[in-house]
Amino acid sequence: MTNDCPPHDYLLDAQVGFLLRRATQRHLTIFAALIPGLTPTQFAALAKLCELGPTTQNALGRATAMDAATIKGVIDRLRDKGLIATTRDAEDRRRLFVEATPAGTEAFGAARTKALEISAETLAPLSAFEQATFLDLLTRLT
Amino acid sequence: MTNDCPPHDYLLDAQVGFLLRRATQRHLTIFAALIPGLTPTQFAALAKLCELGPTTQNALGRATAMDAATIKGVIDRLRDKGLIATTRDAEDRRRLFVEATPAGTEAFGAARTKALEISAETLAPLSAFEQATFLDLLTRLT
DNA sequence: CAAAATCCATTTGCATACGAACAAGTTCCG
DNA sequence: CGGAACTTGTTCGTATGCAAATGGATTTTG
């Protein structure tokens, strides 16, 4: 068969980029249902902050794979919610010191269990063995 | 050891949502390097339009997993680039008819090979067998 | 037929994301 | 010491992505 259009052997629905976007969308839906008050990005920053302890803004961004412009907005919104506090570092006056407030630590503690449920529900279509395989392969694509 | 903080058994770097975000970031970097003139979303809409043929705005959005608000912006930008054209449907005056222009069809034809390279490079860290496994599992998480 | 429900597109608001450019502070090195 | 190089945070512009509200058009249903 002749065809005057470009070949149709490119099927969007089979491309890894499209599938990643769809899987991310589904995960986002699950996340919003179980943790309504925080976005995945905000929770990631808060969780990493509780995991690492006090740090600086850009360092927290690097630890959570956010660039400087992105982490700034996340920090601003978490501060607006009263979950973190920022102070200028006296030793290096460029640095913005970031730490979790008591409310932030408590919020993380409360959301932590939900977050584990979110991960479980996201992976629920797969068997336990498949989940482990998937996470292993996905880790190697980062 | 006692611990006054929430348990540290939540490790951000092991959660599927975080890994999905990182993998998407890496894919985006590869995409931007090989197809500088289009975003993944714009290319997805253009590719699906060439795959399906002329359709309506919302239908194209559903076919590419974009909601009405998102597909509108994508359509606007593709039209600004001259790659697609829109017309009001005479039969159903709500509908916005969308079709690829000759320039759009040509742009898709030119980018199609690059897009396949992007998928290949994104999956490059995995063996051929692992790639097939990963795509199968990822498909089931959408 | 008329009301209700549905669908289509648009708009607004909010929240990521990244590139680029910038100012200010710090460190490195000649 | 002093300029170059780097780091840190900020701002701007562009582009998704979703929720919610709106207005207009069409279809379904009582």
Side-chain angles (χ1 to χ4, degrees), chain B residues 1-53:
Chain B
M1 262 202 310
T2 59
N3 196 337
D4 59 340
C5 292
H8 280 187
D9 60 344
Y10 181 86
L11 292 178
L12 178 63
D13 309 79
Q15 306 305 310
V16 61
F18 185 69
L19 293 171
L20 281 172
R21 187 162 67 87
R22 297 249 323 258
T24 300
Q25 285 175 349
R26 177 166 164 274
H27 175 261
L28 177 63
T29 301
I30 295 171
F31 193 103
L34 268 68
I35 303 183
L38 291 171
T39 66
T41 313
Q42 290 168 10
F43 179 77
L46 180 61
K48 204 70 186 179
L49 187 56
C50 290
E51 182 184 328
L52 295 180

Coordinates of all heavy atoms in Angstrom, one line a residue, chain B residues 1-53:
Chain B
M1 N 17.9 2.6 69.6 CA 18.0 4.1 69.7 C 16.7 4.7 69.7 O 15.8 4.4 68.8 CB 18.8 4.5 68.4 CG 20.3 4.8 68.8 SD 21.0 5.9 67.6 CE 20.6 5.2 66.0
T2 N 16.5 5.7 70.5 CA 15.2 6.4 70.5 C 15.3 7.5 69.5 O 16.4 7.9 69.1 CB 14.9 7.0 71.9 OG1 16.0 7.9 72.3 CG2 14.7 5.9 72.9
N3 N 14.1 8.0 69.1 CA 14.1 9.0 68.1 C 12.9 9.9 68.3 O 11.7 9.5 68.4 CB 14.0 8.3 66.7 CG 14.3 9.2 65.6 OD1 14.2 10.5 65.7 ND2 14.7 8.7 64.5
D4 N 13.1 11.2 68.4 CA 12.0 12.1 68.7 C 11.3 12.6 67.4 O 10.3 13.2 67.4 CB 12.5 13.3 69.5 CG 13.6 14.1 68.7 OD1 14.2 13.4 67.8 OD2 13.8 15.2 69.0
C5 N 11.9 12.2 66.3 CA 11.4 12.6 65.0 C 10.5 11.4 64.4 O 10.6 10.3 64.9 CB 12.5 12.9 64.0 SG 13.4 14.4 64.4
P6 N 9.7 11.7 63.4 CA 9.0 10.6 62.7 C 9.9 9.6 62.2 O 11.1 9.9 61.9 CB 8.2 11.3 61.6 CG 8.2 12.8 62.0 CD 9.4 13.0 62.8
P7 N 9.5 8.4 62.1 CA 10.4 7.3 61.7 C 11.0 7.6 60.3 O 10.3 8.2 59.5 CB 9.4 6.1 61.6 CG 8.2 6.4 62.5 CD 8.1 7.9 62.4
H8 N 12.2 7.2 60.1 CA 12.9 7.5 58.9 C 12.8 6.3 57.9 O 13.7 6.2 57.1 CB 14.3 7.8 59.2 CG 14.5 9.2 59.7 ND1 15.7 9.8 59.9 CD2 13.6 10.2 60.0 CE1 15.6 11.1 60.3 NE2 14.3 11.3 60.3
D9 N 11.8 5.5 58.0 CA 11.6 4.4 57.1 C 11.0 4.9 55.8 O 10.8 4.1 54.9 CB 10.8 3.3 57.7 CG 9.4 3.7 58.1 OD1 9.2 4.9 58.2 OD2 8.6 2.9 58.3
Y10 N 10.7 6.2 55.7 CA 10.2 6.7 54.4 C 11.4 7.3 53.7 O 12.0 8.3 54.1 CB 9.2 7.8 54.6 CG 8.6 8.4 53.3 CD1 7.6 7.7 52.6 CD2 9.2 9.5 52.7 CE1 7.1 8.2 51.4 CE2 8.8 10.0 51.5 CZ 7.7 9.3 50.9 OH 7.3 9.8 49.6
L11 N 11.8 6.6 52.6 CA 13.0 7.1 51.9 C 12.5 7.6 50.5 O 12.1 6.9 49.7 CB 14.0 6.0 51.7 CG 14.7 5.6 53.0 CD1 15.7 4.4 52.7 CD2 15.4 6.7 53.6
L12 N 12.6 8.9 50.4 CA 12.1 9.6 49.2 C 12.6 8.9 47.9 O 11.9 8.7 47.0 CB 12.4 11.1 49.2 CG 12.0 11.9 48.0 CD1 10.5 11.9 47.9 CD2 12.5 13.3 48.1
D13 N 13.9 8.7 47.9 CA 14.6 8.2 46.7 C 14.1 6.8 46.3 O 14.5 6.3 45.2 CB 16.1 8.2 46.9 CG 16.5 9.5 47.4 OD1 16.4 9.8 48.7 OD2 17.0 10.3 46.6
A14 N 13.4 6.1 47.1 CA 12.9 4.8 46.8 C 11.4 4.8 46.4 O 10.9 3.7 46.0 CB 13.1 3.8 47.9
Q15 N 10.8 5.9 46.4 CA 9.3 6.0 46.1 C 9.1 6.0 44.6 O 9.8 6.8 43.9 CB 8.7 7.1 46.8 CG 8.9 7.2 48.3 CD 8.5 5.9 49.0 OE1 7.4 5.4 48.8 NE2 9.4 5.3 49.8
V16 N 8.1 5.4 44.2 CA 7.8 5.3 42.7 C 7.5 6.7 42.1 O 7.9 7.0 41.0 CB 6.7 4.3 42.5 CG1 5.4 4.7 43.1 CG2 6.5 4.1 41.0
G17 N 6.8 7.5 42.9 CA 6.5 8.8 42.4 C 7.8 9.7 42.1 O 7.9 10.4 41.1
F18 N 8.7 9.6 43.1 CA 9.9 10.4 42.9 C 10.7 9.8 41.7 O 11.3 10.6 40.9 CB 10.7 10.3 44.2 CG 12.0 11.1 44.2 CD1 11.9 12.5 44.2 CD2 13.2 10.5 44.2 CE1 13.0 13.3 44.2 CE2 14.4 11.3 44.2 CZ 14.3 12.7 44.2
L19 N 10.8 8.5 41.6 CA 11.5 7.9 40.5 C 10.9 8.2 39.2 O 11.6 8.5 38.2 CB 11.6 6.4 40.7 CG 12.5 5.9 41.9 CD1 12.3 4.4 42.2 CD2 13.9 6.3 41.7
L20 N 9.6 8.3 39.1 CA 8.9 8.6 37.9 C 9.2 10.1 37.5 O 9.5 10.4 36.3 CB 7.4 8.5 38.1 CG 6.8 7.1 38.0 CD1 5.3 7.1 38.4 CD2 7.0 6.5 36.6
R21 N 9.3 10.9 38.5 CA 9.6 12.3 38.2 C 11.0 12.5 37.6 O 11.3 13.2 36.7 CB 9.4 13.2 39.4 CG 9.6 14.7 39.2 CD 9.0 15.6 40.3 NE 9.7 15.5 41.5 CZ 10.8 16.2 41.8 NH1 11.3 17.1 41.0 NH2 11.4 16.1 43.0
R22 N 12.0 11.7 38.3 CA 13.4 11.8 37.8 C 13.5 11.2 36.4 O 14.2 11.8 35.6 CB 14.3 11.0 38.8 CG 14.3 11.6 40.2 CD 15.6 12.2 40.6 NE 16.8 11.5 40.0 CZ 17.5 10.7 40.7 NH1 17.3 10.5 42.0 NH2 18.6 10.1 40.2
A23 N 12.8 10.1 36.1 CA 12.9 9.5 34.8 C 12.3 10.4 33.8 O 12.8 10.6 32.6 CB 12.2 8.1 34.8
T24 N 11.2 11.1 34.1 CA 10.6 12.1 33.2 C 11.5 13.2 32.9 O 11.6 13.7 31.8 CB 9.3 12.6 33.8 OG1 8.4 11.4 34.0 CG2 8.6 13.6 32.9
Q25 N 12.2 13.7 34.0 CA 13.2 14.8 33.8 C 14.3 14.4 32.8 O 14.6 15.1 31.9 CB 13.8 15.1 35.1 CG 12.9 15.9 36.0 CD 13.6 16.2 37.4 OE1 14.6 15.6 37.8 NE2 13.0 17.0 38.2
R26 N 14.8 13.1 33.0 CA 15.9 12.7 32.1 C 15.3 12.6 30.6 O 16.0 13.0 29.7 CB 16.4 11.3 32.6 CG 17.4 10.7 31.6 CD 18.2 9.6 32.3 NE 18.9 8.8 31.3 CZ 18.4 7.8 30.6 NH1 17.1 7.5 30.8 NH2 19.1 7.2 29.7
H27 N 14.1 12.0 30.5 CA 13.6 11.9 29.2 C 13.4 13.3 28.5 O 13.6 13.5 27.3 CB 12.2 11.2 29.2 CG 11.5 11.2 28.0 ND1 10.5 12.1 27.7 CD2 11.6 10.4 26.9 CE1 10.0 11.8 26.4 NE2 10.7 10.8 25.9
L28 N 12.9 14.3 29.3 CA 12.7 15.6 28.8 C 14.1 16.2 28.3 O 14.1 16.9 27.3 CB 12.1 16.5 29.9 CG 11.9 18.0 29.5 CD1 11.0 18.1 28.4 CD2 11.5 18.8 30.7
T29 N 15.1 16.0 29.0 CA 16.4 16.5 28.6 C 16.8 15.9 27.3 O 17.3 16.6 26.4 CB 17.5 16.1 29.7 OG1 17.1 16.7 30.9 CG2 18.9 16.6 29.3
I30 N 16.7 14.6 27.1 CA 17.0 13.9 25.8 C 16.1 14.4 24.7 O 16.6 14.7 23.6 CB 16.8 12.4 26.0 CG1 17.8 11.8 27.0 CG2 16.9 11.7 24.7 CD1 17.5 10.4 27.4
F31 N 14.8 14.6 25.0 CA 13.9 15.1 24.0 C 14.3 16.5 23.5 O 14.4 16.8 22.3 CB 12.5 15.2 24.6 CG 11.4 15.4 23.5 CD1 10.7 14.3 23.1 CD2 11.2 16.6 22.9 CE1 9.7 14.5 22.1 CE2 10.3 16.8 22.0 CZ 9.5 15.7 21.5
A32 N 14.6 17.4 24.5 CA 14.9 18.8 24.1 C 16.2 18.8 23.3 O 16.4 19.7 22.4 CB 15.1 19.6 25.4
A33 N 17.1 17.9 23.5 CA 18.4 17.9 22.7 C 18.2 17.4 21.3 O 18.8 17.9 20.4 CB 19.4 17.0 23.4
L34 N 17.2 16.4 21.1 CA 17.1 15.9 19.8 C 16.0 16.6 18.9 O 16.0 16.6 17.7 CB 16.8 14.4 19.9 CG 18.0 13.5 19.8 CD1 18.9 13.6 21.0 CD2 17.6 12.0 19.6
I35 N 15.0 17.1 19.6 CA 14.0 17.9 18.9 C 13.8 19.2 19.6 O 12.9 19.4 20.5 CB 12.6 17.1 18.9 CG1 12.8 15.8 18.3 CG2 11.5 17.9 18.2 CD1 11.5 15.0 18.2
P36 N 14.7 20.2 19.3 CA 14.7 21.5 20.0 C 13.5 22.3 19.8 O 13.1 23.1 20.6 CB 16.0 22.2 19.4 CG 16.7 21.1 18.7 CD 15.7 20.1 18.2
G37 N 12.8 22.2 18.6 CA 11.7 23.1 18.3 C 10.4 22.8 18.9 O 9.5 23.6 18.8
L38 N 10.2 21.6 19.4 CA 8.9 21.2 19.9 C 9.1 20.6 21.3 O 10.1 20.0 21.6 CB 8.3 20.1 19.0 CG 7.8 20.5 17.6 CD1 7.4 19.3 16.8 CD2 6.6 21.5 17.7
T39 N 8.1 20.8 22.1 CA 8.0 20.1 23.4 C 7.5 18.7 23.3 O 6.8 18.4 22.3 CB 7.2 20.9 24.4 OG1 5.8 20.8 24.0 CG2 7.6 22.4 24.5
P40 N 7.7 17.8 24.2 CA 7.1 16.5 24.1 C 5.6 16.5 24.0 O 5.0 15.8 23.2 CB 7.5 15.8 25.4 CG 8.8 16.5 25.8 CD 8.6 18.0 25.4
T41 N 5.0 17.4 24.7 CA 3.5 17.5 24.6 C 3.1 18.0 23.2 O 2.1 17.4 22.6 CB 3.0 18.5 25.7 OG1 3.7 18.2 26.9 CG2 1.5 18.4 25.8
Q42 N 3.7 19.0 22.7 CA 3.4 19.5 21.4 C 3.6 18.4 20.3 O 2.8 18.2 19.4 CB 4.2 20.7 21.0 CG 3.9 21.9 21.8 CD 4.9 23.1 21.7 OE1 5.8 23.0 20.9 NE2 4.7 24.1 22.5
F43 N 4.7 17.7 20.4 CA 5.0 16.6 19.5 C 4.0 15.5 19.6 O 3.5 15.0 18.6 CB 6.4 16.1 19.6 CG 6.7 14.9 18.7 CD1 7.0 15.2 17.4 CD2 6.6 13.6 19.1 CE1 7.3 14.2 16.5 CE2 6.9 12.6 18.2 CZ 7.2 12.9 16.9
A44 N 3.6 15.2 20.8 CA 2.6 14.2 21.0 C 1.2 14.5 20.3 O 0.6 13.7 19.6 CB 2.3 14.0 22.5
A45 N 0.8 15.8 20.5 CA -0.4 16.2 19.8 C -0.3 16.2 18.3 O -1.2 15.7 17.6 CB -0.7 17.6 20.3
L46 N 0.9 16.6 17.8 CA 1.1 16.6 16.3 C 1.1 15.2 15.8 O 0.5 14.9 14.8 CB 2.4 17.4 16.0 CG 2.7 17.5 14.5 CD1 1.7 18.2 13.7 CD2 4.1 18.1 14.3
A47 N 1.8 14.3 16.5 CA 1.9 12.9 16.1 C 0.6 12.3 16.1 O 0.2 11.5 15.1 CB 2.9 12.2 17.0
K48 N -0.2 12.5 17.1 CA -1.5 11.9 17.2 C -2.4 12.4 16.1 O -3.3 11.7 15.6 CB -2.1 12.1 18.6 CG -3.2 11.1 19.0 CD -2.5 9.7 19.3 CE -3.6 8.6 19.5 NZ -2.9 7.3 19.8
L49 N -2.3 13.7 15.8 CA -3.1 14.3 14.8 C -2.8 13.7 13.4 O -3.7 13.4 12.6 CB -2.9 15.8 14.8 CG -3.8 16.6 13.8 CD1 -5.2 16.4 14.1 CD2 -3.4 18.1 14.0
C50 N -1.5 13.4 13.2 CA -1.1 12.8 11.9 C -1.5 11.3 11.9 O -1.8 10.7 10.9 CB 0.4 12.9 11.7 SG 1.0 14.6 11.4
E51 N -1.6 10.7 13.1 CA -2.0 9.3 13.2 C -3.5 9.1 13.0 O -3.9 8.2 12.3 CB -1.5 8.8 14.6 CG -1.8 7.3 14.8 CD -1.5 6.9 16.2 OE1 -0.5 7.4 16.8 OE2 -2.2 6.0 16.8
L52 N -4.2 10.0 13.6 CA -5.7 9.9 13.5 C -6.3 10.6 12.3 O -7.4 10.3 11.9 CB -6.3 10.5 14.8 CG -6.0 9.9 16.1 CD1 -6.7 10.7 17.2 CD2 -6.5 8.4 16.1
G53 N -5.6 11.6 11.8 CA -6.2 12.4 10.8 C -7.0 13.5 11.5 O -7.0 13.6 12.7

